[in-house]
Amino acid sequence: MTDFAHKPTLTGDLVVLRPVDEADYDALAAAMDDPDVTRLTGSHGEIGEEQARQWYRTRKDQTDRLDLAIVDKASGAVVGESVLNDWDPDNRSCNFRILIGPAGQGRGLGTEATRLTVGYGIEQLGLHRISLGVYAFNPRARRAYEKAGFTAEGVLRDALLWDGEWVDEIVMSVLADEWIPSEV
């Protein structure tokens, strides 16, 4: 039985994933303000500070999703967030998304955070399927997802209009019977 009410702390070699809270706002806002992060996540709109703080303040109370702050073990800094959301309890599936700011990029933190989150979802929560979408202009993320066990399923053509150009979204997933646990 999936229990998103429990908010775990997951520890790897490079990162600690812990429940996100309002104190993480400044670090996450800085990550989301980065133009490259905004583009790679396809984020068009801005969220006001109070609305964002309220969002992070309430994540621990959510029983249908898991929002974890990604803490870089080397620096102790919050560098992003890792999320299981869009829970479909009847089909034991959900969506995965991750955001890594510039301070956490290019060092394997995202790959490890992905493996920890997906491993928790499959091994501890009993999820059967975890899916995600990655934009075609983000091959680095696609490679990280593939390293974490995701397989491309198809393409949502012209799913995002960015700077006047249409961008495809690649749909990827990992199934429980395909998941290979690792020593992360």
Side-chain angles (χ1 to χ4, degrees):
M1 181 65 153
T2 306
D3 180 13
F4 283 107
H6 173 69
K7 308 302 183 193
T9 296
L10 309 173
T11 303
D13 294 331
L14 304 173
V15 299
V16 173
L17 306 182
R18 59 154 177 78
V20 71
D21 62 33
E22 184 182 3
D24 300 319
Y25 169 78
D26 290 333
L28 293 171
M32 289 183 273
D33 284 345
D34 180 76
D36 197 38
V37 170
T38 301
R39 182 177 74 86
L40 296 175
T41 59
S43 301
H44 285 294
E46 289 188 27
I47 299 172
E49 180 176 344
E50 185 48 41
Q51 184 181 5
R53 285 185 181 280
Q54 175 64 19
W55 172 262
Y56 289 119
R57 197 170 24 248
T58 63
R59 296 306 85 201
K60 67 183 173 300
D61 303 323
Q62 305 306 307
T63 59
D64 63 347
R65 60 183 291 136
L66 179 62
D67 297 86
L68 301 172
I70 301 170
V71 179
D72 178 356
K73 284 178 79 171
S75 69
V78 172
V79 296
E81 63 183 356
S82 184
V83 177
L84 292 174
N85 63 358
D86 295 338
W87 181 36
D88 179 348
D90 293 331
N91 294 304
R92 295 179 23 224
S93 66
C94 69
N95 180 71
F96 170 75
R97 71 173 179 76
I98 190 168
L99 178 144
I100 303 276
Q105 295 175 2
R107 296 183 288 127
L109 278 61
T111 298
E112 184 175 80
T114 299
R115 287 203 55 82
L116 286 168
T117 305
V118 171
Y120 179 78
I122 291 173
E123 297 168 21
Q124 301 301 312
L125 298 178
L127 293 170
H128 172 71
R129 181 178 191 276
I130 299 175
S131 61
L132 62 83
V134 60
Y135 294 114
F137 55 38
N138 195 352
R140 184 178 72 201
R142 182 175 175 172
R143 281 191 304 277
Y145 297 140
E146 288 169 344
K147 283 172 42 179
F150 283 84
T151 300
E153 295 183 325
V155 175
L156 300 176
R157 298 177 305 146
D158 290 353
L160 174 70
L161 180 60
W162 194 264
D163 284 341
E165 295 192 28
W166 290 104
V167 180
D168 292 344
E169 180 179 0
I170 295 98
V171 177
M172 304 180 79
S173 73
V174 61
L175 303 177
D177 61 356
E178 299 169 341
W179 176 248
I180 301 170
S182 68
E183 299 298 319
V184 188

